[in-house]
Structures are given as structure tokens and as C-alpha cells.
């Protein structure tokens, strides 16, 4: 069924179709309409779930952590400072290996206060161990939410589904709403091996020593470092798992492809503009204009940022003349985080392209297509003289 | 009201293994052992960082025979909410969901999540064992440390401020059951926890819990010190059931009788050694004034 709804409502419908059992959330712009919709689904009986209107984001994630530990499918959503307020809990959820799913409507972070879009909130959380998926449009939002629940419970790692605040959260777009029975066939019930159970008591997240230690039967149990090593291994393996899940999704719903990157006119391209999120669609317009002027340029949107799909990215970018990375976030005191990651991935490649970095759109600064065109024209004209420092687009100093 | 439990009919079933990591003379180990007896097998525990985290053992060994989820310091009330929500969603209705936290974890860093859970009317039991400082990290002052107490962050003059009255704060949420208890009166504690299991909605029990190393007394005097806190009228055993306050047990017995002077309690513990006569006098007056209202 085709419907026209906001990005937040697309996410809410995805959560409903995924039959989340416990939902906890605290209001924050621009995420709020998503959880408002979910509370409506629960109150009206359309979704059989517990909706907990908690008193903070820290508690929202606490509810999800505890509910997931008890064996329920848990969901929350947030933005910006709300995400940062739950940072301790983000780390706890992943350390406890709980398949919580969370939507983040990306927003700039204070101080000073801003409610508008950039991606500093989620990019700043790239190292906590959550899987990060970024959607470019409403179809990808709803599909990603459903896939996220399956990925999370398959690999026992929480998943963030991120989309640009306002640009996607509050705009209306047509998309295909998956059928409930197909979602049920795609996404099995959450049935964890270990959960809080008086019939089979266990003590979860206990203090764990630096070294391995025998249990009461004499079997060696891992120390902290082994547990963390396993997380890293499982995250790397999650890349392949996500391909499998994406293929299954395509079989059921007819929508699929490369789940890591989305390429546009890249096949014969010498230059590739790279970004995360909805900006990739605006860059397509610029690429079309430049293609008319015979510039061989394409766009690559990065849809999974953690675990970092380095092979897919190197496969797409190695051998190009120049890669131009546009970012709505910054590793302050250094460079764009995606830019640094892409350079790192390309380091061992024999056919290294030049890589340029532009910072733009922070705190919702309007991104003008002319500015993108000027930036790309400059990078394509003189790819060798750019330097390693990011350049800022649209500054009015 | 059922008849009070006695040592003759207290259940022999144990849910805490012996030989755990509690200090000798630990008030919490009494409170925990007795509390779990009252809760019984069908219980899920939610525990933030505290001495209880240590008592429960180091992975992969645990000293508790009940399922337990360790959670972050500030999140206990919300985490208990989450366990209960999952139990409802999964239609497992005969389980006690019990948060068990220290006084700092309850009245300081955890008060927001606890207040939220009480306001929402979550169906949880919350037990605070109050040893009146951050003992697990080495005796730093907390909001619930009494005035004049020496701690490692009030090392010379003692704490300047008075003890935060956490049970009253929770009672202000108008929940159905608020009670206080003491490690020195385990059967009174047992009956209160037992009663809590028969009530739904938020239930809060605040347990005075002597701590030999933190309070600086010989471990053999845990019960004596705990009893003195009650007999001097400093810490009162009571219940507030549906808004109705009543003294219970040893505190009820004190009504109309002469209480021991508070100085007798202070003299049993090294933590009070910097108290001057002025403060002792003021505290005695406060206690007398409080008891005049009972």
C-alpha cells in the first residue's frame, strides 16, 4: 500500500509492524512526533505494547535495557542532547548485548541551543559499539527499522536508525507500507537464549575481572577484554549478516541492493561525492548538472556507518581520481569523521584517490545547491592542491 | 493484619549463598538475606552499583539464587520499570520486580528515575538500604549522611548539612506503601517486605543499615548500633499505608516511654567523634520535637 506520511510516522509504522513490545521515550524535537504516534498506536490498541512515558532519555534507555534483558522487543527514539544524555546507557546496552532498536532524528547539539539538523549527535557516538544505519528517504526509514530489529536480534547488538531531522522527520513523502503478514514472515519473534527468569536465575552484567576465571563447574569464563573482543568480532561479522538480511528483505518486499552504500552515476565516474543521509539526493541534482558539462562525477551515500563497511567503500572508491566527502559533523580538533574513516580504508589500496573534505549544514544552515556545485567544481578542477584540512561551505564570517 | 513472623516460623529457605563478599558484620547481608526470604523465588532483582554489587560476587560466580540485572547508577527506578513492562508484555504476571539500591543510589543519583517510577505508579518494590554514605567507594558523604558525621569527604569537621529524608520524599508521591525498617529488627523487616509483595503499584522500604567499617565500630555491634538508632528515636520504624502513618515494632513500643538519649547512639561510633555538644543538643531537641508529634 502506498501512503504519504512524514519520516517520523514512517518510522512509527515500522516499529508497529515490527511488533515492538516495550516502548519508552522522552520528548525531544524533532523526534517527538514519532513517539507521539507510537503512544497513539498503543492507546488505540493498534499496537499491543507497553508505552512508558519516562522522565528522561537516560531512563528511556534504562527501560529498553531492562525490558530487553527480560526478553521483550524494545524501542526508543531521540535526538541531539537526548541521545547524549543516554550515552552511559548506550554503552550499557551494547555491553550487555541487547538488541534494542532506536531511531535518531539527527539534530545539532548544544551549546548554543539549536533544534535544526546536522549529524553531530549520532556521529559523535560512532565508537560506542552500536550499529548505525542512515536512511536517505522515508522508504528507507520504514524498511531500515524493520531490518534493524532483525539485525539486532541476530547479532545481539543494538541498532540506531538515523535520519535527518526536519529534512526527513517532518517532510511528507510517498512510500510503500509493508504488509504486516510479510513483516511477520520476515521478522521472527524475539526469543533470547538468556533472559531474566526466576526458573533459570542468572546474574547479568556482574563485575568482571581483568583475567579469565573458572566458574563453579571449573570451566573458564571470559574476562572483560575477551567479552569486548567478542563484541568487535561480532560487529565485523555483522556486515555479512546484514547482507543476508537485506537479501531476505528483498525477496519478501522487492526492495534491496547494496545495504552499505547507495551509488548514483558512479560506474564511469572519475569523481565521487560522498555523504551520509538526505544530502545525497541534493548532490544527485548537482551531479546531473555537472554531467551535462561532461564532468564524470557520481554520488555515493553511506548507509551503514558502524560497523564500517570498508570493503564496500574501497570497492566503490579505489581507482577514482578524487573523492569529495561532505559532512554535517566534525571530529573537533581534527577532520570530518567519515573523511578520516574513508582515508583510512583507502590507505592500503594501490589506487588511492585524492580525498577532499567539506563541512556544511551545521545547526541547520541551509545547504544551497549552488554552493555544492561550486565546491565540486573546485575539487574536480584542482584535485591535487586541496590539502588535508576540511573546508567549510556557506560560512558567513 | 497477619500475625508477626517469629524466629520459629521464619522460612528456612535461603536465596543468598554463604561465604559471599560482604564485610564482617555487614548490615546489608542481614537485610538482603531476610529480604529475599520474604520475596521468595518468583522475583527479579534490579541492582545499581553499590555494596550489593560486590556482595553478589564477581563473574562468573554469583551469591544470589534469584535472577538479577545489574544496571547503571542513576537508572534503577527506570530499569525496574522496564523489567515490569516486559513481564506485562510477555504476560508473566506472578513475578516480584524488586529494585535494591543503596542510599546514594536512591536519594542522590537515582532519585529522578525513582521519582518518575513512583509518579507513573509502576508496579515495583524499591528497597533502599541506607548505610548513610557512599560505602562501596570508601565512605564519602551522601545526601543521607547525618549531620556531623566524619566521612572521607567530610574528614575534619564532619558533614555540615542534615540527613535528607528520603522516605518522606517518596511518601509525597502518594504511593500505596512506604515503610522504614532496620537491619537490627529483621523480623519487622521481613513482615514489611512480605506485606509489600501483597500490594500492587510502587512500594518503597527504607532500611537503616549499620556499616562497621564506614561507621567505625566493632563488627560484633551491628545489631546493638542499629537498635540504639531506634531506641534513641533517631531512626523510626513506621509504615505509611495508603497515606496513613503508624509507628511499628520497636518504635511503636517507645510511645509514651522515655527514650535513650541520642548521645548514647553517637558514642558507639567513631564517625561521630567530631560532634560538638551544640550539635548533640540540637539533634536531641529535633528528636524530642519529632516524637512530640507522634
Amino acid at each position: 500500500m502506498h501512503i504519504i506520511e512524514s519520516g517520523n510516522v514512517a518510522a512509527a509504522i515500522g516499529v508497529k509492524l515490527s511488533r515492538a513490545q516495550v516502548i519508552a521515550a522522552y520528548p525531544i524535537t524533532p523526534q517527538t512526533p514519532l513517539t507521539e504516534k507510537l503512544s497513539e498506536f498503543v492507546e488505540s490498541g493498534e499496537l499491543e505494547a507497553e508505552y512508558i512515558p519516562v522522565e528522561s532519555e537516560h531512563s528511556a534507555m534504562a527501560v529498553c535495557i531492562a525490558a530487553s534483558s527480560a526478553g521483550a522487543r524494545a524501542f526508543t527514539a531521540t535526538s541531539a542532547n537526548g541521545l547524549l544524555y543516554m550515552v552511559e546507557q548506550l554503552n550499557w546496552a551494547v555491553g550487555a548485548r541487547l538488541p534494542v532498536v532506536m531511531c535518531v532524528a539527527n539534530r545539532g547539539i548544544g551549546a548554543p541551543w539549536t533544534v535544526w539538523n546536522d549529524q553531530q549527535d549520532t556521529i559523535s557516538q560512532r565508537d560506542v559499539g552500536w550499529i548505525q544505519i542512515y536512511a536517505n528517504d522515508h522508504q528507507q526509514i520504514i524498511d531500515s527499522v524493520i531490518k534493524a530489529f532483525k539485525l539486532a536480534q541476530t547479532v545481539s547488538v543494538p541498532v540506531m536508525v538515523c535520519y535527518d531531522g526536519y529534512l526527513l522527520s517532518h517532510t511528507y513523502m510517498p512510500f510503500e507500507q509493508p504488509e504486516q503478514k510479510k513483516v511477520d514472515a520476515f521478522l521472527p519473534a524475539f526469543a533470547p537464549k538468556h533472559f531474566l527468569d526466576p526458573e533459570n536465575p542468572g546474574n547479568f552484567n556482574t563485575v568482571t575481572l581483568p583475567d579469565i576465571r573458572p566458574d563453579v563447574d571449573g570451566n573458564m569464563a571470559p574476562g572483560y577484554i575477551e567479552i569486548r573482543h567478542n563484541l568487535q568480532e561480532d560487529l565485523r561479522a555483522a556486515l555479512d549478516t546484514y547482507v543476508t538480511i537485506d537479501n531476505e528483505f528483498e525477496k519478501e518486499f522487492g526492495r534491496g541492493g547494496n545495504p552499505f552504500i547507495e551509488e548514483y552515476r558512479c560506474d564511469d565516474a572519475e569523481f565521487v561525492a560522498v555523504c551520509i543521509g538526505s544530502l545525497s539526493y541534493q548532490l544527485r541534482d548537482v551531479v546531473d548538472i555537472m554531467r551535462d558539462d561532461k564532468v564524470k562525477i557520481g554520488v555515493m551515500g553511506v548507509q551503514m556507518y558502524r560497523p564500517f563497511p570498508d570493503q564496500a567503500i574501497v570497492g566503490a572508491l579505489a581507482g577514482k581520481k578524487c573523492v569529495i566527502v561532505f559532512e554535517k559533523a566534525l571530529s573537533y580538533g581534527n577532520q570530518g569523521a567519515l573523511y578520516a574513516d574513508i582515508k583510512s580504508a583507502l590507505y592500503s589500496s594501490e589506487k588511492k584517490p585524492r580525498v577532499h573534505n567539506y563541512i556544511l549544514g551545521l545547526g541547520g544552515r541551509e545547504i544551497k545547491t549552488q554552493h555544492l556545485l561550486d565546491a565540486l567544481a573546485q575539487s574536480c578542477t584542482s584535485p591535487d592542491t586541496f590539502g588535508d584540512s576540511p573546508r567549510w561551505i556557506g560560512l558567513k564570517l | 493484619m497477619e500475625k508477626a513472623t517469629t524466629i520459629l516460623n521464619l522460612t528456612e529457605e535461603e536465596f543468598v549463598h554463604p561465604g559471599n563478599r560482604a564485610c564482617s558484620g555487614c548490615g546489608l547481608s542481614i537485610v538482603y538475606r531476610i529480604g529475599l526470604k520474604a520475596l521468595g523465588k518468583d522475583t527479579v532483582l534490579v541492582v545499581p552499583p553499590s555494596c550489593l554489587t560486590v556482595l553478589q560476587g564477581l563473574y562468573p560466580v554469583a551469591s544470589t539464587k534469584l535472577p538479577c540485572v545489574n544496571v547503571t547508577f542513576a537508572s534503577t527506578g527506570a530499569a525496574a520499570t522496564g523489567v515490569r513492562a516486559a513481564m506485562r508484555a510477555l504476560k508473566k504476571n506472578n513475578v516480584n520486580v524488586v529494585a535494591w539500591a543503596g542510599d546514594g543510589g536512591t536519594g542522590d543519583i537515582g532519585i529522578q528515575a525513582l521519582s518518575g517510577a513512583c509518579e507513573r505508579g509502576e508496579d515495583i518494590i524499591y528497597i533502599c538500604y541506607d548505610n548513610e554514605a557512599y560505602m562501596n567507594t570508601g565512605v564519602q558523604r551522601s545526601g543521607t549522611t547525618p549531620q556531623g558525621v566524619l566521612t572521607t569527604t567530610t574528614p575534619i569537621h564532619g558533614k555540615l548539612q542534615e540527613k535528607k529524608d528520603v522516605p518522606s520524599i517518596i511518601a509525597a508521591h502518594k504511593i500505596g506503601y512506604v515503610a522504614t525498617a532496620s537491619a537490627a529488627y529483621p523480623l519487622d523487616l521481613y513482615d514489611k517486605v512480605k506485606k509489600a509483595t501483597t500490594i500492587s503499584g510502587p512500594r518503597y522500604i527504607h532500611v537503616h543499615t549499620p556499616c562497621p567499617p564506614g561507621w567505625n565500630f566493632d563488627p560484633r555491634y551491628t545489631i546493638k548500633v542499629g537498635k540504639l538508632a531506634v531506641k534513641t528515636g533517631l531512626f523510626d520504624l513506621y509504615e505509611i499505608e495508603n497515606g496513613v502513618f503508624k509507628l511499628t515494632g520497636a518504635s511503636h513500643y517507645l510511645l509514651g516511654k522515655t527514650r535513650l538519649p541520642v548521645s548514647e547512639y553517637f558514642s558507639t561510633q567513631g564517625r561521630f567523634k567530631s560532634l560538638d555538644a551544640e550539635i548533640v543538643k540540637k539533634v536531641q531537641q529535633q528528636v524530642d520535637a519529632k516524637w512530640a508529634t507522634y
Side-chain angles (χ1 to χ4, degrees), chain A residues 53-55 108 111 120 129 166-168 171 176 196 204 215 258 260 266 290 299 314 319 326 346 348 397:
Chain A
V54 285
E55 81 298 329
Q120 189 69 32
Y166 292 115
L167 299 173
L168 293 177
T171 53
E176 175 73 21
L196 293 168
F204 294 1
D215 66 15
N258 188 330
F260 303 131
C266 284
M290 293 176 78
V299 182
V314 170
F326 292 87
L346 287 166
S348 55
L397 293 172

Side-chain angles (χ1 to χ4, degrees), chain B residues 33-91:
Chain B
R33 174 169 168 248
I34 296 297
L36 296 197
K37 278 175 179 280
L39 291 166
K41 177 181 147 291
D42 291 322
T43 297
V44 173
L45 294 165
V46 178
V47 177
S50 77
C51 292
L52 182 51
T53 320
V54 177
L55 188 157
Q56 288 193 327
L58 303 170
Y59 180 76
V61 175
S63 69
T64 305
K65 300 182 200 173
L66 296 175
C68 171
V69 60
N70 291 279
V71 301
T72 60
F73 214 175
S75 73
T76 315
T81 299
V83 173
R84 175 56 76 196
M87 293 297 163
R88 270 200 306 269
L90 299 168
K91 307 205 171 9

Side-chain angles (χ1 to χ4, degrees), chain A residues 5-56:
Chain A
E5 268 298 352
S6 71
N8 276 328
V9 171
I13 296 170
V15 174
K16 183 177 74 140
L17 291 170
S18 302
R19 299 190 190 278
Q21 292 167 301
V22 174
I23 298 159
Y26 188 78
I28 185 167
T29 303
Q31 161 277 127
T32 318
L34 158 53
T35 42
E36 285 173 346
K37 196 67 184 173
L38 286 171
S39 70
E40 183 188 318
F41 286 152
V42 173
E43 271 197 32
S44 68
E46 275 184 80
L47 172 60
E48 198 185 325
E50 299 292 324
Y51 184 90
I52 314 289
V54 285
E55 81 298 329
S56 75

Side-chain angles (χ1 to χ4, degrees), chain B residues 166-200:
Chain B
V166 179
S168 292
I169 294 169
I170 303 307
H173 292 73
K174 299 186 172 68
I175 65 174
Y177 189 69
V178 174
T180 60
S182 164
Y185 296 95
L187 296 173
D188 176 73
L189 167 70
Y190 179 89
D191 283 338
K192 283 168 177 166
V193 175
K194 199 81 190 166
K195 183 188 276 188
T197 64
T198 66
I199 300 168
S200 58

